[in-house]
Amino acid sequence: MTSDPHSAGLAAGYAAALAGFLVAARLRRSTWPRPSPPPIARPWRELAFLLVAVVATLAVGQLYQRDLLLPRAGADARNLGRAALEAANQLLIFSPLLLLIAWRGRPFRRHAWLPMDRLPERLAVGALLACLAAAAFLAVRGDPERLGQLGRFVARPTRIHVAVQVLLEDVAIALAFVRLAALTGRPRVTAIAIGALFAAGHVPALLADGAGAGELVPLLRDAALASAVLLVLRRGADVWWFACVHTVLDLTQYFPRT
């Protein structure tokens, strides 16, 4: 991942949102109390079940790529009906992971970080933090005056399928992290290791493109950011607010430059 204005803006946006959430969690301790990790008696077995569900998810994703599910709308659906079909596609793709939670009798709150209490407040804070993240992104990218334009671009009802996809991706991350942390017994170390692996995964492609040592430096930022995301998500045990931020920043890739 190179240090272009877009990726630098994303890093700033996520950093601003994470800092904002820590403030919100401190002010609203009743909504985001410090969670205790869920007990998992046999983490190796639960991780194996998760891997099977991930393989099944990838298989359903291949059906989607071959147009064997519902009609595809792509990232920029032109009407609400097609966006709804695309949202249903995302539910089908991720259904093995959701079925795994139901089958294993695991509570969504603790094992997928989907608490249902005070949901309006969680989403409202997420929306405010998404605005903060968008402002930071645009400031770093060099066009802060376009915050209103980006807001209208993101808020179109036809973006609903993107929000569904991002939420389900975040749920999958929560499922994986909870199990890996139970396996290692050291959640902070696990988060840092995952962040490092995330960044290291970009190294072969960068080296193949002839990147020098200086061009690998942004990977340190990416590793730190990925670790911070996991640690802050663990602090709140709540992906609702983060999905709001994630959706907005994900959609910036389609937001045209002036």
PDB file of all heavy atoms in Angstrom, residues 105-128:
ATOM      1  N   GLY A 105     -24.759 -21.949  19.148  1.00  0.00           N
ATOM      2  CA  GLY A 105     -25.444 -21.360  20.285  1.00  0.00           C
ATOM      3  C   GLY A 105     -24.678 -20.232  20.939  1.00  0.00           C
ATOM      4  O   GLY A 105     -24.766 -20.019  22.150  1.00  0.00           O
ATOM      5  N   ARG A 106     -23.902 -19.512  20.120  1.00  0.00           N
ATOM      6  CA  ARG A 106     -23.093 -18.416  20.649  1.00  0.00           C
ATOM      7  C   ARG A 106     -23.864 -17.108  20.608  1.00  0.00           C
ATOM      8  O   ARG A 106     -24.474 -16.785  19.580  1.00  0.00           O
ATOM      9  CB  ARG A 106     -21.806 -18.259  19.833  1.00  0.00           C
ATOM     10  CG  ARG A 106     -20.960 -19.520  19.737  1.00  0.00           C
ATOM     11  CD  ARG A 106     -20.495 -19.982  21.104  1.00  0.00           C
ATOM     12  NE  ARG A 106     -19.539 -21.069  21.018  1.00  0.00           N
ATOM     13  CZ  ARG A 106     -19.093 -21.759  22.063  1.00  0.00           C
ATOM     14  NH1 ARG A 106     -19.528 -21.466  23.261  1.00  0.00           N
ATOM     15  NH2 ARG A 106     -18.216 -22.720  21.907  1.00  0.00           N
ATOM     16  N   PRO A 107     -23.844 -16.323  21.668  1.00  0.00           N
ATOM     17  CA  PRO A 107     -24.542 -15.033  21.643  1.00  0.00           C
ATOM     18  C   PRO A 107     -23.851 -14.052  20.707  1.00  0.00           C
ATOM     19  O   PRO A 107     -22.621 -13.932  20.706  1.00  0.00           O
ATOM     20  CB  PRO A 107     -24.464 -14.557  23.100  1.00  0.00           C
ATOM     21  CG  PRO A 107     -23.303 -15.288  23.682  1.00  0.00           C
ATOM     22  CD  PRO A 107     -23.241 -16.610  22.982  1.00  0.00           C
ATOM     23  N   PHE A 108     -24.638 -13.383  19.894  1.00  0.00           N
ATOM     24  CA  PHE A 108     -24.088 -12.429  18.943  1.00  0.00           C
ATOM     25  C   PHE A 108     -23.355 -11.308  19.647  1.00  0.00           C
ATOM     26  O   PHE A 108     -22.387 -10.766  19.117  1.00  0.00           O
ATOM     27  CB  PHE A 108     -25.209 -11.848  18.068  1.00  0.00           C
ATOM     28  CG  PHE A 108     -25.543 -12.701  16.882  1.00  0.00           C
ATOM     29  CD1 PHE A 108     -26.245 -13.881  17.029  1.00  0.00           C
ATOM     30  CD2 PHE A 108     -25.153 -12.325  15.611  1.00  0.00           C
ATOM     31  CE1 PHE A 108     -26.557 -14.676  15.937  1.00  0.00           C
ATOM     32  CE2 PHE A 108     -25.450 -13.105  14.510  1.00  0.00           C
ATOM     33  CZ  PHE A 108     -26.155 -14.288  14.679  1.00  0.00           C
ATOM     34  N   ARG A 109     -23.836 -10.936  20.833  1.00  0.00           N
ATOM     35  CA  ARG A 109     -23.216  -9.797  21.531  1.00  0.00           C
ATOM     36  C   ARG A 109     -21.750 -10.060  21.838  1.00  0.00           C
ATOM     37  O   ARG A 109     -20.885  -9.230  21.564  1.00  0.00           O
ATOM     38  CB  ARG A 109     -23.974  -9.494  22.827  1.00  0.00           C
ATOM     39  CG  ARG A 109     -23.338  -8.347  23.616  1.00  0.00           C
ATOM     40  CD  ARG A 109     -23.955  -8.153  24.992  1.00  0.00           C
ATOM     41  NE  ARG A 109     -23.331  -7.008  25.652  1.00  0.00           N
ATOM     42  CZ  ARG A 109     -23.824  -5.785  25.671  1.00  0.00           C
ATOM     43  NH1 ARG A 109     -24.958  -5.536  25.044  1.00  0.00           N
ATOM     44  NH2 ARG A 109     -23.186  -4.807  26.278  1.00  0.00           N
ATOM     45  N   ARG A 110     -21.441 -11.211  22.392  1.00  0.00           N
ATOM     46  CA  ARG A 110     -20.094 -11.453  22.883  1.00  0.00           C
ATOM     47  C   ARG A 110     -19.192 -12.101  21.837  1.00  0.00           C
ATOM     48  O   ARG A 110     -17.985 -11.884  21.849  1.00  0.00           O
ATOM     49  CB  ARG A 110     -20.147 -12.339  24.132  1.00  0.00           C
ATOM     50  CG  ARG A 110     -20.963 -11.729  25.267  1.00  0.00           C
ATOM     51  CD  ARG A 110     -20.844 -12.530  26.533  1.00  0.00           C
ATOM     52  NE  ARG A 110     -19.500 -12.416  27.113  1.00  0.00           N
ATOM     53  CZ  ARG A 110     -19.085 -13.136  28.163  1.00  0.00           C
ATOM     54  NH1 ARG A 110     -19.907 -13.996  28.721  1.00  0.00           N
ATOM     55  NH2 ARG A 110     -17.865 -12.982  28.634  1.00  0.00           N
ATOM     56  N   HIS A 111     -19.762 -12.886  20.943  1.00  0.00           N
ATOM     57  CA  HIS A 111     -18.937 -13.605  19.979  1.00  0.00           C
ATOM     58  C   HIS A 111     -18.856 -12.924  18.620  1.00  0.00           C
ATOM     59  O   HIS A 111     -17.990 -13.262  17.812  1.00  0.00           O
ATOM     60  CB  HIS A 111     -19.445 -15.042  19.813  1.00  0.00           C
ATOM     61  CG  HIS A 111     -19.133 -15.914  20.978  1.00  0.00           C
ATOM     62  ND1 HIS A 111     -18.057 -16.769  21.011  1.00  0.00           N
ATOM     63  CD2 HIS A 111     -19.743 -16.043  22.188  1.00  0.00           C
ATOM     64  CE1 HIS A 111     -18.026 -17.397  22.177  1.00  0.00           C
ATOM     65  NE2 HIS A 111     -19.034 -16.976  22.906  1.00  0.00           N
ATOM     66  N   ALA A 112     -19.763 -12.013  18.332  1.00  0.00           N
ATOM     67  CA  ALA A 112     -19.713 -11.281  17.063  1.00  0.00           C
ATOM     68  C   ALA A 112     -19.743  -9.780  17.285  1.00  0.00           C
ATOM     69  O   ALA A 112     -19.790  -9.021  16.327  1.00  0.00           O
ATOM     70  CB  ALA A 112     -20.888 -11.695  16.165  1.00  0.00           C
ATOM     71  N   TRP A 113     -19.713  -9.362  18.541  1.00  0.00           N
ATOM     72  CA  TRP A 113     -19.690  -7.945  18.895  1.00  0.00           C
ATOM     73  C   TRP A 113     -20.870  -7.195  18.271  1.00  0.00           C
ATOM     74  O   TRP A 113     -20.729  -6.119  17.715  1.00  0.00           O
ATOM     75  CB  TRP A 113     -18.365  -7.309  18.503  1.00  0.00           C
ATOM     76  CG  TRP A 113     -17.206  -7.832  19.291  1.00  0.00           C
ATOM     77  CD1 TRP A 113     -17.259  -8.540  20.469  1.00  0.00           C
ATOM     78  CD2 TRP A 113     -15.819  -7.702  18.990  1.00  0.00           C
ATOM     79  NE1 TRP A 113     -15.995  -8.861  20.904  1.00  0.00           N
ATOM     80  CE2 TRP A 113     -15.087  -8.357  20.025  1.00  0.00           C
ATOM     81  CE3 TRP A 113     -15.111  -7.090  17.947  1.00  0.00           C
ATOM     82  CZ2 TRP A 113     -13.704  -8.426  20.029  1.00  0.00           C
ATOM     83  CZ3 TRP A 113     -13.727  -7.154  17.961  1.00  0.00           C
ATOM     84  CH2 TRP A 113     -13.035  -7.811  18.985  1.00  0.00           C
ATOM     85  N   LEU A 114     -22.054  -7.789  18.407  1.00  0.00           N
ATOM     86  CA  LEU A 114     -23.289  -7.189  17.891  1.00  0.00           C
ATOM     87  C   LEU A 114     -24.293  -7.008  19.037  1.00  0.00           C
ATOM     88  O   LEU A 114     -25.338  -7.669  19.059  1.00  0.00           O
ATOM     89  CB  LEU A 114     -23.895  -8.055  16.788  1.00  0.00           C
ATOM     90  CG  LEU A 114     -23.300  -7.926  15.395  1.00  0.00           C
ATOM     91  CD1 LEU A 114     -23.917  -8.959  14.460  1.00  0.00           C
ATOM     92  CD2 LEU A 114     -23.502  -6.528  14.837  1.00  0.00           C
ATOM     93  N   PRO A 115     -24.014  -6.138  19.991  1.00  0.00           N
ATOM     94  CA  PRO A 115     -24.976  -5.915  21.076  1.00  0.00           C
ATOM     95  C   PRO A 115     -26.238  -5.234  20.556  1.00  0.00           C
ATOM     96  O   PRO A 115     -26.161  -4.315  19.744  1.00  0.00           O
ATOM     97  CB  PRO A 115     -24.203  -5.001  22.040  1.00  0.00           C
ATOM     98  CG  PRO A 115     -23.222  -4.282  21.158  1.00  0.00           C
ATOM     99  CD  PRO A 115     -22.836  -5.265  20.096  1.00  0.00           C
ATOM    100  N   MET A 116     -27.377  -5.683  21.021  1.00  0.00           N
ATOM    101  CA  MET A 116     -28.636  -5.135  20.527  1.00  0.00           C
ATOM    102  C   MET A 116     -29.224  -4.086  21.461  1.00  0.00           C
ATOM    103  O   MET A 116     -30.177  -3.404  21.081  1.00  0.00           O
ATOM    104  CB  MET A 116     -29.650  -6.274  20.328  1.00  0.00           C
ATOM    105  CG  MET A 116     -29.211  -7.314  19.322  1.00  0.00           C
ATOM    106  SD  MET A 116     -28.749  -6.621  17.706  1.00  0.00           S
ATOM    107  CE  MET A 116     -30.315  -5.920  17.201  1.00  0.00           C
ATOM    108  N   ASP A 117     -28.702  -3.945  22.660  1.00  0.00           N
ATOM    109  CA  ASP A 117     -29.215  -2.925  23.563  1.00  0.00           C
ATOM    110  C   ASP A 117     -28.694  -1.555  23.131  1.00  0.00           C
ATOM    111  O   ASP A 117     -27.586  -1.422  22.623  1.00  0.00           O
ATOM    112  CB  ASP A 117     -28.801  -3.229  25.002  1.00  0.00           C
ATOM    113  CG  ASP A 117     -27.293  -3.199  25.191  1.00  0.00           C
ATOM    114  OD1 ASP A 117     -26.599  -3.995  24.523  1.00  0.00           O
ATOM    115  OD2 ASP A 117     -26.794  -2.377  25.983  1.00  0.00           O
ATOM    116  N   ARG A 118     -29.495  -0.526  23.330  1.00  0.00           N
ATOM    117  CA  ARG A 118     -29.126   0.859  23.014  1.00  0.00           C
ATOM    118  C   ARG A 118     -28.614   1.004  21.579  1.00  0.00           C
ATOM    119  O   ARG A 118     -27.690   1.781  21.311  1.00  0.00           O
ATOM    120  CB  ARG A 118     -28.084   1.378  24.004  1.00  0.00           C
ATOM    121  CG  ARG A 118     -28.497   1.201  25.463  1.00  0.00           C
ATOM    122  CD  ARG A 118     -27.590   1.940  26.402  1.00  0.00           C
ATOM    123  NE  ARG A 118     -27.969   1.650  27.794  1.00  0.00           N
ATOM    124  CZ  ARG A 118     -27.499   2.292  28.841  1.00  0.00           C
ATOM    125  NH1 ARG A 118     -26.626   3.275  28.675  1.00  0.00           N
ATOM    126  NH2 ARG A 118     -27.886   1.979  30.067  1.00  0.00           N
ATOM    127  N   LEU A 119     -29.232   0.265  20.682  1.00  0.00           N
ATOM    128  CA  LEU A 119     -28.773   0.290  19.289  1.00  0.00           C
ATOM    129  C   LEU A 119     -28.873   1.675  18.654  1.00  0.00           C
ATOM    130  O   LEU A 119     -27.942   2.084  17.931  1.00  0.00           O
ATOM    131  CB  LEU A 119     -29.559  -0.740  18.469  1.00  0.00           C
ATOM    132  CG  LEU A 119     -29.104  -0.951  17.018  1.00  0.00           C
ATOM    133  CD1 LEU A 119     -27.623  -1.296  16.949  1.00  0.00           C
ATOM    134  CD2 LEU A 119     -29.940  -2.036  16.360  1.00  0.00           C
ATOM    135  N   PRO A 120     -29.960   2.450  18.874  1.00  0.00           N
ATOM    136  CA  PRO A 120     -29.996   3.802  18.289  1.00  0.00           C
ATOM    137  C   PRO A 120     -28.812   4.664  18.724  1.00  0.00           C
ATOM    138  O   PRO A 120     -28.247   5.401  17.905  1.00  0.00           O
ATOM    139  CB  PRO A 120     -31.329   4.370  18.793  1.00  0.00           C
ATOM    140  CG  PRO A 120     -32.185   3.161  19.029  1.00  0.00           C
ATOM    141  CD  PRO A 120     -31.240   2.125  19.534  1.00  0.00           C
ATOM    142  N   GLU A 121     -28.435   4.576  20.008  1.00  0.00           N
ATOM    143  CA  GLU A 121     -27.293   5.361  20.472  1.00  0.00           C
ATOM    144  C   GLU A 121     -26.004   4.898  19.806  1.00  0.00           C
ATOM    145  O   GLU A 121     -25.171   5.716  19.392  1.00  0.00           O
ATOM    146  CB  GLU A 121     -27.148   5.243  21.986  1.00  0.00           C
ATOM    147  CG  GLU A 121     -25.967   6.027  22.537  1.00  0.00           C
ATOM    148  CD  GLU A 121     -25.803   5.881  24.033  1.00  0.00           C
ATOM    149  OE1 GLU A 121     -26.673   5.264  24.690  1.00  0.00           O
ATOM    150  OE2 GLU A 121     -24.780   6.388  24.564  1.00  0.00           O
ATOM    151  N   ARG A 122     -25.827   3.611  19.675  1.00  0.00           N
ATOM    152  CA  ARG A 122     -24.616   3.076  19.056  1.00  0.00           C
ATOM    153  C   ARG A 122     -24.497   3.557  17.601  1.00  0.00           C
ATOM    154  O   ARG A 122     -23.412   3.955  17.141  1.00  0.00           O
ATOM    155  CB  ARG A 122     -24.627   1.548  19.107  1.00  0.00           C
ATOM    156  CG  ARG A 122     -24.632   0.987  20.515  1.00  0.00           C
ATOM    157  CD  ARG A 122     -24.728  -0.542  20.517  1.00  0.00           C
ATOM    158  NE  ARG A 122     -24.953  -1.050  21.851  1.00  0.00           N
ATOM    159  CZ  ARG A 122     -24.000  -1.253  22.754  1.00  0.00           C
ATOM    160  NH1 ARG A 122     -22.749  -0.984  22.449  1.00  0.00           N
ATOM    161  NH2 ARG A 122     -24.291  -1.729  23.953  1.00  0.00           N
ATOM    162  N   LEU A 123     -25.619   3.516  16.887  1.00  0.00           N
ATOM    163  CA  LEU A 123     -25.597   3.945  15.490  1.00  0.00           C
ATOM    164  C   LEU A 123     -25.432   5.454  15.372  1.00  0.00           C
ATOM    165  O   LEU A 123     -24.760   5.944  14.450  1.00  0.00           O
ATOM    166  CB  LEU A 123     -26.879   3.489  14.789  1.00  0.00           C
ATOM    167  CG  LEU A 123     -27.032   1.974  14.617  1.00  0.00           C
ATOM    168  CD1 LEU A 123     -28.400   1.644  14.032  1.00  0.00           C
ATOM    169  CD2 LEU A 123     -25.929   1.403  13.736  1.00  0.00           C
ATOM    170  N   ALA A 124     -26.035   6.195  16.303  1.00  0.00           N
ATOM    171  CA  ALA A 124     -25.895   7.659  16.271  1.00  0.00           C
ATOM    172  C   ALA A 124     -24.440   8.069  16.504  1.00  0.00           C
ATOM    173  O   ALA A 124     -23.899   8.934  15.806  1.00  0.00           O
ATOM    174  CB  ALA A 124     -26.808   8.295  17.316  1.00  0.00           C
ATOM    175  N   VAL A 125     -23.796   7.434  17.479  1.00  0.00           N
ATOM    176  CA  VAL A 125     -22.376   7.720  17.721  1.00  0.00           C
ATOM    177  C   VAL A 125     -21.552   7.309  16.511  1.00  0.00           C
ATOM    178  O   VAL A 125     -20.626   8.023  16.097  1.00  0.00           O
ATOM    179  CB  VAL A 125     -21.891   7.001  18.995  1.00  0.00           C
ATOM    180  CG1 VAL A 125     -20.371   7.069  19.121  1.00  0.00           C
ATOM    181  CG2 VAL A 125     -22.545   7.617  20.221  1.00  0.00           C
ATOM    182  N   GLY A 126     -21.905   6.171  15.912  1.00  0.00           N
ATOM    183  CA  GLY A 126     -21.201   5.737  14.710  1.00  0.00           C
ATOM    184  C   GLY A 126     -21.330   6.732  13.580  1.00  0.00           C
ATOM    185  O   GLY A 126     -20.354   7.003  12.854  1.00  0.00           O
ATOM    186  N   ALA A 127     -22.529   7.297  13.418  1.00  0.00           N
ATOM    187  CA  ALA A 127     -22.732   8.290  12.357  1.00  0.00           C
ATOM    188  C   ALA A 127     -21.905   9.546  12.612  1.00  0.00           C
ATOM    189  O   ALA A 127     -21.309  10.115  11.678  1.00  0.00           O
ATOM    190  CB  ALA A 127     -24.219   8.635  12.257  1.00  0.00           C
ATOM    191  N   LEU A 128     -21.866   9.997  13.868  1.00  0.00           N
ATOM    192  CA  LEU A 128     -21.052  11.175  14.193  1.00  0.00           C
ATOM    193  C   LEU A 128     -19.568  10.911  13.957  1.00  0.00           C
ATOM    194  O   LEU A 128     -18.846  11.758  13.405  1.00  0.00           O
ATOM    195  CB  LEU A 128     -21.286  11.578  15.644  1.00  0.00           C
ATOM    196  CG  LEU A 128     -22.664  12.161  15.971  1.00  0.00           C
ATOM    197  CD1 LEU A 128     -22.818  12.370  17.467  1.00  0.00           C
ATOM    198  CD2 LEU A 128     -22.872  13.473  15.229  1.00  0.00           C
TER     199      LEU A 128
END
